[in-house]
DNA sequence: CCTCTGTAGATTTTT
DNA sequence: TCTACAGAGG
């Protein structure tokens, strides 16, 4: 076991700031109480926009400044890296560089990983264990299922992976798995156990294991647990309403019921029940920690009274809540607008027009956001915004480090770093294709497993044997030779240079170059990868961090309308927020209700609450009477949430021109209910055809796809409407999706192009490249 | 090993 | 309706 860090003299000698330090200034009485109530269990119920982060960081600063604890004696846990980073930055701002000593400030997972590395041997791992991502996890599970001759179509690896994750979230090891839990007709527990055993063999663990192994270590080794309990004199937990059972148990093991534990959260913003969060944890806090002090932060500094009034009225319909009432001194501002429109496209047109209007009145694009329940709803807005050349960014979506090309690159690096990494081997032994087919790979793995050695060891032995085809053996021998060479080079060159070399020499870059469709994006991603490696001292340091602590904020800071899911919007704020799609089935999501009943509905309502409270100045809700769902036209009813909005704070906007007059909400609703046109016989309204300028019906239309800079916070369209047209009839162009073509007509920034293969299309000029004739 | 064809399934997402 | 993905066949 590694030693815990020892205090530095410089830290010990640092003078405590005088009492009444200025960091306490400007806090309201409740905030100040939350900061100064340092002893014993405390629950801070921090409503939306009540200065939660400020309280959190000030509290930590206060504990340090008053000498109650030294930086390494504080445990501060968040859910996301972003939150951890933000907290560290703000504390540094408050107390200066000594904040660097906060070595136990991080996400649940990263802190659990640190603890696990110190005591890995207690659960049969080496401290150098690797952390598998979901892709690795699923491949491994697939192998197990196939070994058991289980039909992987009926019983998909993904569903078992999800189930195991769920079990781990609840703190269940295979031995503790309740008999009611199962998979593939009674084989659930056996498969789970086999999976865990396989992980140990690979010296690996998945995300869930980080916490689960911690639970095992802390509950079975009293001395270890005691050591941490003594060390962590003050514990702080952010977003407590999102903790799952395993995280809760973990906290309980690290703290006694009288310990100095401060949990901050908002039961009304618990929106992750579907991935294991237990609102119950926060609702139960006072019972779990007898004598706990509960402090409510209810003064809101973000929104106007109408926004808060609308949100409060809505959330009041929930039964499972501790209850609090947000208030503000801000008396200004409009009521929340609610509008019904004809269909999804009309909704997109309305919102896009309003974005233009807001822009003309001086609001920046990035001050506006469109918050949707599910990502399929984004398409309509993307189409409309592209058409109007309004810049927008889709926040969320596939994450950079989960991209195939990034994982491939990592696999090369992992295999160079450690020959034993069989999963890395399997991933890239034939990527790019080097003539080692599936059959050969399976054979290698089989032999390796039979002999209890790594795949690479088996390969080295096979090269000199007469197993496998001669051609395969040659390919493998080249592969081994390359790896050995790179490994030797790793000592000489800097790690990102090694990455460049490997990608180039392995033929990976060439493989991507040959791919006209996605190759360029992938090469760009790989460039970005190499760049992000430069922030680390070594390959080891990079790989350690990449699985847990790395996320890139790309495309941030651009002036673009922010489109994201309601989940993605949590913690953010915008002057103007659009909330489309408030229709039964869409929001609340039918599936939520089907699967979780009343609990699911309450979570949906909390999601609505989160959405409304993102708005600083104005929130605009809308619903459509008709919507295309999976290609089928369906008539929609307004969401029950619309009727739960208190009339004092809401106005039904009737003059949108997108549908007839709507004198009042109730009336508007009955209009939807009764309208005969929405019955079963309703079919696609023909007048919309041809209005959008591309024929593609894919969820992400071709013309938008081409403008996507993939990544988190992809900036999608940056067409500059002001740029004069430099196009003329007859120009030859190349388009990512449609190929080569000739310009037929120019209309502002839109071009009518006759594509050689795809026929005539209208495209935005920034999405085509000019080519020589 | 690549290309074609049929079919399930199509919320939310962090680590 | 569309897409991703698996399995068959060239």
């Amino acid at each position: 076991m590694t030693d815990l860090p020892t205090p530095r003299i410089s830290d010990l000698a640092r003078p405590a700031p005088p009492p009444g330090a200025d960091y306490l200034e400007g806090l309201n009485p409740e905030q100040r109480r939350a900061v100064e109530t340092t002893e014993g269990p405390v629950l801070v119920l921090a409503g939306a926009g009540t200065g939660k982060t400020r309280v959190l960081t000030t509290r930590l600063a206060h504990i340090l400044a008053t000498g109650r604890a030294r930086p390494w004696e504080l445990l501060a846990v968040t859910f996301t890296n972003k939150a951890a980073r933000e907290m560290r930055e703000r504390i540094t701002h408050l107390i200066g560089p000594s904040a660097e000593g906060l070595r136990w400030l991080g996400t649940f997972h990263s802190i659990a990983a640190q603890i696990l590395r110190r005591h890995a041997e207690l659960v049969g791992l080496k401290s150098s264990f690797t952390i598998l991502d979901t892709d690795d996890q699923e491949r491994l599970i697939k192998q197990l299922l196939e070994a058991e001759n289980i039909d992987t179509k009926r019983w998909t690896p993904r569903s078992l992976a999800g189930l195991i994750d769920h079990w781990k979230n609840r703190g269940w090891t295979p031995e503790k798995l309740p008999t009611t839990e199962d998979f593939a007709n009674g084989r659930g527990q056996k498969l789970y156990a086999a999976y865990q055993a396989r992980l140990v063999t690979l010296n690996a663990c998945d995300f869930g294991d980080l916490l689960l192994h911690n639970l095992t270590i802390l509950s079975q080794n009293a001395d270890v647990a005691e050591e941490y309990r003594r060390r962590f004199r003050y514990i702080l937990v952010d977003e407590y309403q999102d903790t799952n059972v395993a995280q809760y148990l973990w906290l309980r093991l690290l703290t006694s019921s009288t310990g100095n534990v401060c949990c901050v959260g908002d039961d009304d913003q618990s929106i992750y029940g579907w991935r294991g969060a237990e609102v119950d944890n926060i609702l139960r806090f006072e019972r779990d920690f007898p004598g706990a002090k509960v402090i409510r932060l209810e003064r809101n500094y973000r929104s106007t009274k109408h926004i808060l009034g609308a949100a409060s009225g809505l959330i009041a319909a929930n039964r499972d809540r501790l209850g609090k009432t947000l208030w503000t001194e801000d008396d200004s501002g409009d009521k929340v607008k609610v509008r019904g429109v004809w269909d999804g496209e009309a909704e997109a047109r309305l919102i896009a027009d309003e974005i233009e209007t807001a822009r003309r009145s001086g609001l920046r694009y990035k001050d506006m956001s469109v918050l949707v329940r599910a990502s399929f709803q984004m398409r309509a807005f993307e189409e409309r915004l592209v058409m109007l050349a309004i810049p927008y960014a889709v926040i969320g979506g596939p994450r950079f480090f989960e991209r195939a090309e990034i994982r491939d690159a990592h696999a090369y690096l992992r295999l160079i770093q450690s020959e034993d990494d069989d999963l890395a081997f399997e991933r890239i032994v034939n990527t790019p294709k080097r003539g080692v087919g599936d059959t050969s790979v399976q054979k290698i793995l089989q032999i390796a497993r039979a002999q209890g050695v790594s795949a690479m060891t088996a390969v080295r032995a096979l090269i000199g044997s007469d197993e496998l085809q001669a051609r395969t053996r040659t390919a493998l021998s080249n592969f081994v030779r390359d790896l050995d060479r790179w490994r030797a080079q790793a000592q000489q060159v800097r790690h990102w240079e090694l990455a460049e070399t490997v990608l180039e020499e392995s033929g990976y870059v060439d493989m991507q170059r040959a791919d006209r469709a996605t190759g360029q994006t992938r090469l760009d991603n790989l460039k970005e990868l190499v760049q992000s490696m430069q922030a680390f001292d070594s390959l080891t340091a990079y790989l350690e961090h990449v699985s847990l602590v790395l996320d890139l904020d790309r495309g941030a800071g651009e002036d673009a309308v922010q489109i994201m899911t309601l989940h993605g919007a949590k913690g953010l704020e915008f002057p103007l927020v659009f909330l489309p799609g408030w229709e039964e089935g869409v929001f609340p999501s039918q599936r939520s209700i089907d699967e979780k009943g009343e609990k699911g509905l309450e979570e949906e309502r909390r999601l609505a609450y989160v959405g409304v409270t993102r708005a600083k100045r104005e929130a605009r809700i809308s619903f459509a009477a008709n919507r295309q769902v999976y290609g089928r036209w369906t008539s929609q009813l307004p969401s029950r949430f619309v009727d739960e909005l208190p009339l004092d704070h809401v106005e039904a906007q009737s003059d949108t021109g997108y549908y007839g007059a709507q004198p009042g909400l109730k009336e508007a609703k009955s209009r939807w209910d009764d309208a005969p046109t929405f019955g079963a016989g309703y079919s696609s309204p023909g007048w919309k055809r041809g209005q959008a300028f591309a024929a593609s019906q894919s969820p992400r239309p071709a013309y938008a796809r081409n403008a996507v800079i993939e990544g988190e916070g992809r900036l999608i369209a940056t067409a500059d409407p002001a740029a004069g047209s430099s196009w003329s009839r007859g120009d030859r162009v190349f388009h990512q999706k449609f190929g080569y073509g000739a310009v037929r007509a120019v209309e502002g920034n839109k071009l009518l192009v006759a594509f050689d293969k795809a026929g005539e299309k209208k495209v935005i000029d920034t999405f085509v490249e000019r080519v020589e004739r």
Side-chain angles (χ1 to χ4, degrees):
Chain A
M1 189 175 100
T2 337
D3 282 333
L4 294 168
T6 45
R8 285 178 307 183
I9 295 297
S10 58
D11 282 314
L12 293 174
R14 203 181 303 278
D22 58 0
Y23 61 79
L24 290 171
E25 274 170 34
L27 294 176
N28 68 34
E30 296 74 39
Q31 290 177 329
R32 187 153 179 161
R33 205 150 71 82
V35 167
E36 292 185 319
T37 312
T38 55
E39 310 307 303
V42 180
L43 175 65
V44 179
L45 283 174
T50 55
K52 181 193 75 171
T53 312
R54 179 161 181 214
V55 163
L56 260 154
T57 51
T58 311
R59 183 184 165 93
L60 285 180
H62 181 67
I63 289 168
L64 293 172
T66 53
R68 286 179 163 82
R70 293 163 294 182
W72 54 91
E73 292 169 336
L74 292 179
L75 172 65
V77 221
T78 64
F79 268 85
T80 64
N81 293 308
K82 195 177 159 202
R85 215 182 310 126
E86 193 182 326
M87 207 185 294
R88 187 179 294 276
E89 276 163 18
R90 288 176 68 162
I91 296 171
T92 307
H93 187 73
L94 285 175
I95 64 166
S98 65
E100 282 163 29
L102 288 164
R103 70 184 294 313
W104 299 101
L105 186 163
T107 62
F108 274 100
H109 292 267
S110 73
I111 288 170
Q114 286 183 52
I115 292 178
L116 184 54
R117 291 221 188 268
R118 289 161 179 269
H119 313 282
E121 77 284 356
L122 295 175
V123 286
L125 294 170
K126 288 183 270 179
S127 83
S128 60
F129 65 83
T130 50
I131 300 165
L132 303 188
D133 58 27
T134 44
D135 193 65
D136 289 331
Q137 204 183 339
E138 279 173 32
R139 287 153 177 270
L140 222 153
I141 287 172
K142 189 169 181 218
Q143 291 174 4
L144 290 172
L145 291 175
E146 280 166 355
E148 289 287 315
N149 281 318
I150 291 169
D151 178 9
T152 53
K153 274 200 143 166
R154 180 153 150 62
W155 306 98
T156 64
R158 175 163 302 176
S159 58
L160 181 55
L163 210 51
I164 289 179
D165 205 48
H166 172 72
W167 294 337
K168 289 180 176 177
N169 283 164
R170 307 207 67 105
W172 293 329
T173 55
E175 304 78 51
K176 289 190 198 147
L177 191 68
T179 45
T180 47
E181 297 291 317
D182 193 27
F183 184 80
N185 306 322
R187 284 174 287 193
Q189 200 218 14
K190 191 183 164 207
L191 286 162
Y192 182 17
Y195 172 68
Q196 291 305 95
R198 188 88 185 92
L199 286 176
V200 171
T201 319
L202 289 164
N203 190 31
C205 65
D206 61 24
F207 284 120
D209 278 337
L210 295 173
L211 263 299
L212 197 65
H213 286 327
N214 265 247
L215 294 184
T216 307
I217 290 167
L218 294 172
S219 59
Q220 293 180 1
N221 302 82
D223 53 327
V224 177
E226 190 48 35
E227 182 201 328
Y228 284 103
R229 274 199 288 268
R230 261 204 309 273
R231 159 165 302 268
F232 299 137
R233 301 180 58 180
Y234 292 88
I235 296 178
L236 187 75
V237 186
D238 190 17
E239 307 276 18
Y240 190 61
Q241 78 284 351
D242 286 337
T243 47
N244 60 37
V245 172
Q247 286 157 339
Y248 166 78
L249 294 171
W250 186 76
L251 283 169
R252 291 307 306 252
L253 285 164
L254 291 174
T255 180
S256 55
S257 63
T258 53
N260 303 321
V261 58
C262 173
C263 293
V264 183
D266 181 359
D267 48 323
D268 292 334
Q269 291 189 67
S270 171
I271 55 173
Y272 286 108
W274 49 274
R275 65 177 200 216
E278 288 278 339
V279 216
D280 252 24
N281 288 347
I282 196 166
L283 300 177
R284 241 187 16 231
F285 189 85
E286 289 171 272
R287 264 177 287 152
D288 284 344
F289 297 92
K293 300 187 184 77
V294 179
I295 299 167
R296 284 180 163 77
L297 303 181
E298 298 177 305
R299 177 167 176 186
N300 175 290
Y301 294 93
R302 176 187 295 154
S303 314
T304 67
K305 65 166 185 193
H306 285 310
I307 290 165
L308 293 183
S312 300
L314 183 64
I315 200 66
N318 268 11
R319 276 186 39 239
D320 277 347
R321 60 189 296 251
L322 293 165
K324 65 185 148 18
T325 314
L326 296 183
W327 62 277
T328 176
E329 287 186 346
D330 188 340
D331 246 4
S332 67
D334 296 339
K335 289 185 175 180
V336 171
K337 293 191 178 75
V338 178
R339 319 60 87 69
V341 292
W342 176 251
D343 63 9
E345 281 189 32
E347 187 177 49
R349 257 179 287 132
L350 169 66
I351 289 176
D353 287 356
E354 290 184 346
I355 287 171
E356 284 194 320
T357 308
R359 168 73 188 189
R360 275 196 296 275
S361 73
L363 207 61
R364 291 169 303 183
Y365 288 125
K366 65 177 170 188
D367 290 334
M368 311 177 219
S369 72
V370 181
L371 308 182
V372 297
R373 173 71 239 282
S375 39
F376 72 81
Q377 294 172 265
M378 293 179 180
R379 183 190 143 203
F381 298 101
E382 292 193 53
E383 280 185 27
R384 190 65 197 172
L385 293 175
V386 166
M387 181 134 61
L388 299 182
I390 294 171
Y392 68 92
V394 172
I395 311 297
R399 320 199 74 233
F400 184 74
F401 287 96
E402 282 165 17
R403 284 161 195 286
E405 65 274 22
I406 302 300
R407 289 216 268 236
D408 287 340
H410 285 159
Y412 272 101
L413 297 171
R414 273 160 60 185
L415 198 56
I416 288 166
Q417 192 194 39
S418 152
E419 279 229 344
D420 298 338
D421 198 329
D422 284 7
L423 288 166
F425 168 84
E426 214 184 320
R427 181 165 188 112
I428 46 110
V429 63
N430 201 32
T431 310
K433 306 256 182 287
R434 43 175 75 89
V436 185
D438 222 30
T439 336
S440 308
V441 175
Q442 289 313 316
K443 196 157 185 183
I444 292 166
L445 291 174
Q446 211 183 336
I447 291 171
R449 209 164 308 168
Q451 302 187 351
V453 297
S454 70
M456 281 299 288
T457 309
V459 166
R460 285 180 197 277
L462 284 166
I463 288 170
S465 74
D466 54 1
E467 299 271 353
L468 305 173
Q469 290 188 358
R471 192 184 292 182
T472 312
R473 288 206 303 271
T474 315
L476 285 170
S477 122
N478 288 336
F479 181 60
V480 169
R481 189 203 59 212
D482 285 346
L483 274 174
D484 287 343
R485 190 179 67 246
W486 294 327
R487 194 168 298 122
Q489 254 175 41
Q491 313 302 316
Q492 318 294 324
V493 302
R494 282 172 296 189
H495 55 290
W496 66 88
E497 292 168 338
L498 176 73
E500 278 179 329
T501 309
V502 169
L503 288 169
E504 195 62 57
E505 291 183 3
S506 63
Y508 198 86
V509 168
D510 285 335
M511 176 182 88
Q512 294 299 349
R513 271 200 203 107
D515 182 348
R516 252 201 148 316
T518 52
Q520 194 49 52
T521 321
R522 293 186 169 173
L523 288 174
D524 290 345
N525 287 336
L526 289 170
K527 271 190 201 126
E528 196 158 335
L529 167 87
V530 169
Q531 210 160 40
S532 74
M533 287 178 74
Q534 298 181 13
F536 293 86
D537 292 337
S538 67
L539 183 58
T540 317
Y542 171 76
L543 288 175
E544 162 65 20
H545 278 77
V546 76
S547 47
L548 279 181
V549 200
L550 219 54
D551 53 350
L552 298 181
D553 264 338
R554 309 194 314 164
E558 299 280 349
D559 186 24
V561 176
Q562 310 279 298
I563 301 180
M564 65 190 90
T565 63
L566 287 158
H567 284 93
K570 193 166 145 207
L572 305 177
E573 56 178 35
F574 305 91
L576 175 56
V577 170
F578 294 96
L579 297 160
W582 282 42
E583 296 139 34
E584 284 295 302
V586 175
F587 189 40
S589 138
Q590 194 53 50
R591 212 162 138 176
S592 260
I593 296 172
D594 289 349
E595 284 173 10
K596 292 273 190 82
E598 192 61 29
K599 286 218 173 244
L601 178 63
E602 292 212 346
E603 183 154 312
E604 294 288 301
R605 195 176 281 114
R606 290 193 289 266
L607 205 44
Y609 174 81
V610 166
V612 174
T613 53
R614 296 311 93 194
K616 291 166 85 167
R617 303 297 313 164
E618 229 192 305
R620 299 184 192 170
I621 292 165
S622 51
F623 54 89
N626 300 285
R627 193 175 289 279
Q628 223 174 355
V629 185
Y630 303 137
R632 261 174 204 289
W633 281 96
T634 50
S635 58
Q636 302 286 100
L637 292 174
S639 169
R640 67 192 78 189
F641 299 154
V642 169
D643 286 328
E644 290 170 4
L645 295 164
L647 285 167
D648 291 352
H649 300 289
V650 189
E651 73 181 310
Q653 205 179 18
S654 55
D655 56 351
T656 58
Y658 289 86
Y659 192 71
Q662 297 162 32
L665 281 185
K666 292 289 172 189
E667 220 167 307
K669 181 174 166 90
S670 65
R671 179 186 293 272
W672 309 117
D673 287 344
D674 302 339
T677 39
F678 307 144
Y682 183 76
S683 66
S684 170
W687 52 269
K688 305 209 276 64
R689 295 272 163 245
Q691 187 141 8
F693 55 79
S696 165
Q697 295 294 313
S698 63
R700 178 133 307 160
Y703 48 84
R705 184 188 303 132
N706 297 329
V708 166
I709 300 164
E710 306 267 355
E712 290 165 46
R714 289 121 57 200
L715 181 69
I716 297 203
T718 45
D720 178 4
S725 184
S726 55
W727 301 93
S728 48
R729 213 167 161 262
D731 284 350
R732 288 289 290 173
V733 296
F734 175 74
H735 187 279
Q736 285 286 319
K737 170 82 180 179
F738 302 128
Y740 291 91
V743 175
R744 278 293 168 79
V746 183
E747 191 186 314
N749 61 338
K750 287 171 217 136
L751 306 176
L752 179 68
V753 179
F755 288 102
D756 302 350
K757 298 239 169 74
E760 276 195 355
K761 307 273 180 201
K762 272 194 191 170
V763 295
I764 300 273
D765 57 7
T766 44
F767 300 157
V768 296
E769 274 173 62
R770 191 190 297 276
V771 293
E772 296 304 315
R773 244 180 273 211

